[in-house]
Structures are given as C-alpha cells and as structure tokens.
C-alpha cells in the first residue's frame, strides 16, 4: 500500500485524521496544551456551550465505577457571551478543527447558539448535544424522539452550511431511527454514543453517591455498547458515523471503525493518559499499513 | 505542568498503612508546598482514573520528590507494590500551593492523617524562613504516627503529636490541642479530614486569624477540563474546581 488517506469528509469540510477528543472531557483545549500537541487532533469537540452560563450540578459530581466512571456535571460552562469573548480567540490559534458542542433547553436556544457562532471562522462545525443525561430540560428530551430530532436538525441546517454533527444518546429503544431523523433533517454526520444512564449507591449512607442521584457512565465498561450502537447506526444512515465510548487504545478505535465508524472520539481515556489520542492515531496508521487499508471507508467492508 | 515517566527510588511503610513513595522529578517546574501530582496506579482499566496526591517533599539537589499515601483501596494497594527502578506515570506539578504567611504572624500548620504530606512540605520550606512554624499532627493512635518522618524536624520547629486514644502525645484531636495551646497571632495552614479542617477554620474565626485549607475532592482530569472536582464556595460562582482554583483555598471562601 503506497499511500494511506486518514482524512475524512464531513459535509463541506475535511477532518485531517479520524481521532478527536470528546466534548466535556477536554474543556476548551487550553487545559491540555502543556501536555500534548493539539495540532495532532482530528477534531477538538468543546465542552458544551449553552446560552446562559451554568454553574453545573451539585457535588459530588463524579465517582469511579468498574472500568469506568459516572459523572453528573450538568453542563457547567461559561455561557455563550463569555465563550465568544474568552474562548474563541484561543481557538483561532489552533491548527486542529474546533467543533463547538451546543446544548439548549429549548429548540430556540439551539438555534440562537448556532446563529451567534456562525460568523466565526474558528468554529469549524457544530456537534449538537441531544444526549446529555444530566440536565432536566432539553438534550435527552429532544434526542429520544426521531421526529423532534429531524425538525430541530432541519432548522439548524437552514442556519448553517458548516459541518453539523448530531450527538446521539444510547438511552433510547432504537438509536438507528434517531440517527435517521438526523440524516433526514440534513445532518452531515452523527456521533455516538453519549454516556449511559447509571447510578451508584453508598450502602452505608443509603443514598446515591452523586448528588444528582444518577449520572452518565463512560469509560472502557461501555465500549461494547458503543460499538454495537455504531454498528446499528451505520446500517441505518449513509452519513459518516463518529464512534465514541470507552476508547483507550488503537485496537478499541479499530473495533469502532470496523463496526462502521469513519472517525472516533476519545473521552474518559484522555483523563487516564492525555497522550492516548496520538498513540491511537499512530496505531490506526500502523494497522492500515499492515492490513492494506487505504482510507477510512475501507474499514467498512468486513462486517456486513 | 508535564507528564513524565518517573523512576521510583524508594517506597516504604512509614506507619500503619501509611507509605512514603520517592521518585525522580523531571517536570520543567519545581513543585511548591501544597501542589499535587496525578499518578496512574495501575496499567489496566480498573482502577481506571489517575489518583491525585499532594507532594510531601522536594529536594532540588537530588531532584527527588515524595508523596505520603494511605493504603485504602485498589489503586493505593497497587501503589504499595512499586519498587525502586519501577517507573510511574506522573502529571505535575498541579494546582496552587500554600501562600507565604503574612508578616508578624505565627504559622500554625495543622495536619490530620494523610493530610500530613503537604503540611510537612510546607513545614520544611518554612524552616528556612521567618518565624518557625508550629506543626500539629493528629492521628487515631500511635500506630498511625510516622515518627521517623516527623521527628527530624523537631530540631528546628515545634511539633505537637495528638492521638484520639492518647497512645502518643496529646490525647484528643488536633483541634482540641489548638483550643488549649493556640499561639498568639496565628495564621493557619491545614490539610486533613473535612471535620478537622472545619474545626480549625472555626477556631481561626474566633481568633480572627487567616486560615488556608487544602481541599480534597474526587478528581478525573486534574487539569481543569472536566469540572468534576467542584466544591461549594462563596462568591459570584457557586463552585470552584479543586484541581485548578485549589487545592489550597482561603477558608473564608469555602462553604463549610
């Protein structure tokens, strides 16, 4: 194999490589700039941005679980105005694509956020968060109904030509039908999965460990769930699928690619070792050379 | 802050279930008392997350840093098996250290249990400057008092050891000791269990002294990205991240 093509088209743009970092696990990028070379990332998915600043949920917010962790952060973020003022200038200095993760408690909020960010070239595209399990309004409520996903995606589509990625929740009966709603609404890609709803109970205090009672489960424990979801979604839509869930190694990422993903995001894995995304990218390249795979699409012919 | 692979130089039990791990420091910045590292205790997926540990000393000549930890779960049990020449994956230095004491105050350093680490580091740093501090260490019983670590300091600073059962030193908690023996013009620096730090803070209010507290919270990223290690604080924002806004906070800022 003479050349390997790691790039991937999402709508009108091209991701430089298939390994990005997942929203909510990488802040706004600057937090990790001293530890890794951000220029190697095939996409920096920002901490979710909401219209108003949000303080986040009560404490404690996280607890480790077997090969995973449960979190209930509650979309703690600086809000749109401060995001534009204090975070966008930093994104201008970055060489990797910055995909802004957008979350709202009403359809109108999602639209206003995208409208407000549209003029900034440093915003490469959007990942629409229809899947956070830790907030009371919006997100999951939209993300579990294919018709609502389609309507909201279509409204967003009419407001932007930039890549529009819909992030899907696994906490539904049929993730494939939700993905179809996104595709029919005009999404350029879907990313899945967001965290699984979970609970941990302190048996001495006889109450849930997290103040919010439940949280989102992530980490290696959920990887087989994510791979199955990607397998299902990739057979339901023609747009690219971005695989997320418990990826720690190149072989984990390759499972997602073989299941039908064209790119992946590393989330909890970055907490464990910030160098993981770069190691995974290099492992994927090696695998492609060894297996004679030319591009990301060539992973998809094996499992039908 | 850097991520580096550090050679272990020593790992030994210094009191019942309390260990001191020494390793070669190779980050760009030298650590300050109160700052911490995160360390990957295993290599697999359980335990998964890095664990935060406050540094207990740093020797710039040998470039050796130390932490004191308690064996209390899977991760720290794995850590006890590290031997000299093993390497450990470290990110540090992280967070903000203790501030310098105000002029004219007598630094009172109060440590409980595993909170001894950062307080010892601070005590060693203060030994060479201004007014020598008073160090108060509280433990449950004499088996949990790492005397060989504390005693060498007694030549240069005043030390009081307190045990709940009176089996070593003063009988009672570190806060009980302070009630009876608080020096004049104190400024408190404390790390330990939440109830102990709250007691020290309450005392600081009655004697109108400043109180610096090193807070603990479950942590995931350690670098300010995940918002997981929040604690409740007073002021405009209801929460602060222990990893980047802390771990050392002004006691007045904490919602106790």
């Amino acid at each position: 194999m003479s050349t390997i093509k790691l790039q991937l088209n999402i709508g009108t743009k091209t991701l430089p490589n298939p390994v990005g970092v997942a929203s909510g696990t990488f802040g706004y990028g600057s937090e990790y700039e001293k530890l890794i070379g951000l220029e190697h990332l095939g996409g920096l998915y920002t901490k979710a941005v909401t219209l108003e600043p949000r303080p986040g949920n009560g404490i404690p917010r996280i607890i480790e679980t077997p090969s995973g962790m449960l979190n209930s952060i509650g979309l703690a973020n600086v809000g749109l105005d401060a995001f534009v003022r204090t975070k966008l200038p930093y994104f201008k200095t970055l060489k990797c694509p910055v995909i802004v993760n957008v979350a709202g408690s009403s359809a109108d909020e999602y639209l206003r956020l995208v409208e407000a960010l549209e003029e900034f070239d440093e915003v490469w595209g959007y990942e629409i968060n229809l899947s956070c399990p830790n907030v009371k309004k919006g997100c999951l409520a939209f993300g579990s109904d294919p018709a609502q996903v389609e309507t909201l995606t279509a409204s967003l589509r009419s407001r932007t030509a930039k890549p529009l990625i819909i992030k899907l929740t696994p906490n539904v009966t049929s993730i494939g039908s939700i993905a179809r709603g996104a595709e029919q609404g005009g999404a350029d890609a879907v990313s899945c999965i967001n965290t699984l709803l979970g609970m941990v109970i302190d048996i001495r205090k006889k109450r849930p460990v997290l103040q919010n009672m439940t949280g989102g489960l992530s980490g290696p424990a959920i990887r087989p769930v994510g791979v199955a979801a990607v397998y299902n979604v990739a057979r339901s839509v023609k747009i690219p699928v971005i695989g997320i869930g418990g990826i720690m190694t190149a072989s984990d990422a390759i499972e997602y690619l073989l299941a039908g993903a064209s790119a992946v995001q590393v989330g909890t894995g970055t907490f464990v070792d910030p160098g993981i995304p770069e190691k995974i990218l290099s492992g994927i390249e090696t695998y492609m050379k060894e297996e004679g795979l030319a591009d990301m699409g060539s992973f998809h012919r094996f499992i039908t | 802050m850097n991520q580096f692979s550090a050679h272990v130089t020593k790992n030994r039990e210094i009191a019942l279930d309390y260990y001191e791990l020494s390793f070669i420091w190779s980050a760009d910045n030298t650590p300050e008392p109160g700052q911490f590292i995160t360390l990957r205790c295993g290599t697999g997926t359980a335990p998964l997350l890095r664990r935060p540990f406050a540094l207990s000393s740093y020797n710039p000549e040998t470039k050796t840093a130390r932490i004191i930890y308690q064996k209390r779960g899977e991760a720290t049990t794995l850590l006890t098996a590290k031997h000299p020449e093993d390497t450990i994956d470290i990110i540090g230095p992280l967070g903000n250290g203790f501030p310098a004491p105000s002029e004219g105050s007598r630094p009172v350093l109060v440590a409980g249990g595993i909170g001894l680490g950062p307080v010892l580091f601070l005590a060693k740093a203060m030994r060479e400057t201004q007014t020598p501090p008073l160090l108060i260490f509280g433990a449950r019983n004499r088996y949990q008092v790492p005397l060989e670590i504390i005693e060498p300091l007694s030549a240069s600073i005043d030390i009081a050891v307190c045990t709940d059962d009176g089996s070593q030193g003063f009988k009672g908690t570190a806060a009980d000791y302070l009630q009876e023996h608080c020096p004049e013009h104190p400024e408190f620096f404390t790390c330990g269990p939440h109830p102990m730090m709250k007691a020290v803070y309450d005392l600081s209010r009655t004697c109108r002294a400043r109180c610096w507290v090193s807070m603990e919270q479950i942590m995931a990223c350690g670098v300010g990205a995940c918002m997981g290690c929040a604690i409740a604080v007073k002021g405009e924002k209801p929460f602060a991240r222990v990893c980047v806004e802390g771990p050392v906070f002004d006691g007045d800022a904490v919602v106790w």
Side-chain angles (χ1 to χ4, degrees):
Chain A
M1 189 60 54
S2 55
T3 54
I4 280 177
K5 190 178 166 224
L6 291 165
Q7 294 93 335
L8 167 74
N9 295 331
I10 305 279
T12 56
K13 293 192 183 175
T14 305
L15 287 176
N17 75 63
V19 186
V21 283
S23 175
T25 65
F26 210 75
Y28 304 99
S30 56
E31 294 86 345
Y32 279 99
E33 68 179 3
K34 288 185 185 138
L35 295 174
I36 64 167
L38 301 180
E39 67 276 13
H40 302 299
L41 298 176
L44 190 168
Y45 298 75
T46 69
K47 174 78 190 156
V49 179
T50 55
L51 216 45
E52 303 297 331
R54 294 199 190 186
N57 288 339
I59 55 171
R61 294 176 171 179
I62 53 174
I63 180 78
E64 185 161 326
T65 57
S67 294
M69 64 178 281
L70 197 65
N71 88 79
S72 181
I73 307 296
L75 301 180
N77 82 99
V78 295
L80 176 65
D81 288 348
F83 179 79
V84 168
R85 219 174 43 245
T86 64
K87 309 298 177 188
L88 285 184
Y90 177 71
F91 297 153
K92 252 188 175 162
T93 67
L94 298 179
K95 292 193 178 79
C96 64
V98 176
I99 297 112
V100 178
N101 186 287
V102 170
S105 44
S106 67
D108 181 57
E109 279 190 30
Y110 284 95
L111 300 177
R112 284 168 64 190
L113 281 156
V114 166
E115 281 168 2
L117 294 168
E118 196 49 18
E119 64 178 290
F120 301 101
D121 289 341
E122 55 272 36
V123 177
W124 188 91
Y126 307 98
E127 183 178 55
I128 308 302
N129 187 344
L130 298 183
S131 43
C132 177
N134 298 326
V135 289
K136 289 195 175 65
K137 289 200 291 183
C139 282
L140 201 52
F142 292 106
S144 45
D145 176 9
Q148 282 197 60
V149 170
E150 182 177 342
T151 309
L152 180 58
T153 307
S155 305
L156 291 163
R157 181 76 289 167
S158 70
R159 283 160 174 84
T160 182
K162 291 181 188 178
L164 188 58
I165 302 163
I166 308 294
K167 186 165 181 179
L168 307 175
T169 173
N171 302 311
V172 291
T173 312
S174 167
I175 195 170
S177 61
I178 311 285
R180 269 195 300 277
E183 182 177 47
Q184 280 157 14
D188 295 308
V190 288
S191 53
C192 58
I193 54 178
N194 204 320
T195 54
L196 286 153
L197 195 65
M199 184 189 268
V200 174
I201 294 173
D202 182 323
I203 63 164
R204 292 293 168 196
K205 293 181 182 161
K206 302 178 187 67
R207 61 169 191 247
V209 171
L210 299 186
Q211 198 268 345
N212 194 42
M213 316 294 274
T214 59
L217 183 66
S218 66
I222 73 162
R223 196 187 71 230
V225 180
V227 173
V230 164
Y231 172 79
N232 186 337
V233 167
R235 272 138 201 87
S236 306
V237 296
K238 292 191 172 63
I239 51 176
V241 182
I242 300 168
I244 320 166
I247 297 174
M248 300 281 294
T249 65
S251 82
D252 298 345
I254 291 163
E255 279 196 48
Y256 274 94
L257 297 171
L258 289 169
S262 299
V264 295
Q265 294 174 22
V266 181
T268 301
T270 315
F271 298 157
V272 179
D273 177 1
I276 279 182
E278 211 180 321
K279 289 176 197 160
I280 289 175
L281 180 60
S282 131
I284 290 174
E285 273 191 85
T286 306
Y287 178 83
M288 289 172 79
K289 282 177 197 155
E290 286 170 358
E291 298 289 332
L293 301 174
D295 57 24
M296 304 323 294
S298 61
F299 281 85
H300 301 160
R301 65 174 189 261
F302 304 101
I303 301 171
T304 53
Chain B
M1 141 202 5
N2 298 95
Q3 181 174 12
F4 58 97
S5 179
H7 276 280
V8 172
T9 54
K10 208 186 276 181
N11 189 17
R12 60 190 183 119
E13 193 168 11
I14 53 172
L16 183 64
D17 289 336
Y18 281 59
Y19 290 74
E20 183 186 60
L21 175 76
S22 312
F23 56 93
I24 301 298
W25 185 260
S26 58
D28 297 339
N29 297 328
T30 56
E32 305 285 336
Q35 286 192 301
F36 69 100
I37 57 165
T38 61
L39 196 159
R40 199 172 173 191
C41 297
T43 49
T45 63
L48 181 68
L49 297 171
R50 308 175 75 83
R51 297 291 192 265
F53 298 96
L55 290 150
S56 61
S57 87
Y58 177 68
N59 182 336
E61 277 151 33
T62 59
K63 298 228 182 266
T64 304
R66 287 177 181 163
I67 58 169
I68 293 175
Y69 64 98
Q70 186 182 11
K71 182 170 96 169
R72 61 179 172 195
E74 280 175 63
T76 45
T77 301
L78 281 172
L79 205 51
T80 63
K82 301 283 181 193
H83 296 292
E85 297 311 311
D86 283 348
T87 56
I88 43 175
D89 171 0
I90 286 174
I91 295 178
L94 298 166
N96 301 305
F98 288 104
S102 343
E103 238 171 85
S105 72
R106 173 88 197 271
V108 178
L109 281 45
V110 191
I114 207 60
L116 179 64
V119 169
L120 264 186
F121 193 178
L122 183 64
K124 285 179 225 161
M126 282 180 171
R127 206 168 35 174
E128 288 127 33
T129 55
Q130 35 196 306
T131 332
L134 164 64
L135 169 64
I136 304 163
F137 173 65
R140 248 182 250 147
N141 54 53
R142 68 190 168 96
Y143 303 107
Q144 293 185 333
V145 179
L147 268 188
E148 58 170 310
I149 301 283
I150 299 174
E151 262 188 344
L153 285 173
S154 63
S156 47
I157 60 176
D158 298 330
I159 297 175
V161 170
C162 316
T163 50
D164 294 350
D165 65 357
S167 55
Q168 180 95 46
F170 176 83
K171 184 180 181 187
T173 66
D176 293 340
Y177 178 88
L178 262 178
Q179 293 280 5
E180 294 173 26
H181 303 93
C182 193
E184 282 190 15
H185 309 295
E187 180 168 357
F188 298 97
F189 301 80
T190 179
C191 184
H194 193 92
M196 184 208 83
M197 289 201 290
K198 184 178 184 306
V200 173
Y201 173 69
D202 288 344
L203 187 75
S204 80
R205 297 282 295 158
T206 49
C207 56
R208 297 183 184 196
R210 297 209 77 164
C211 179
W212 303 97
V213 295
S214 181
M215 302 298 287
E216 196 176 13
Q217 183 59 283
I218 303 171
M219 225 173 249
C221 75
V223 296
C226 74
M227 315 284 167
C229 64
I231 58 161
V233 291
K234 295 170 194 159
E236 213 175 296
K237 293 179 180 172
F239 300 110
R241 291 162 294 179
V242 168
C243 69
V244 287
E245 273 102 31
V248 176
F249 290 89
D250 184 333
D252 282 336
V254 174
V255 175
W256 293 97

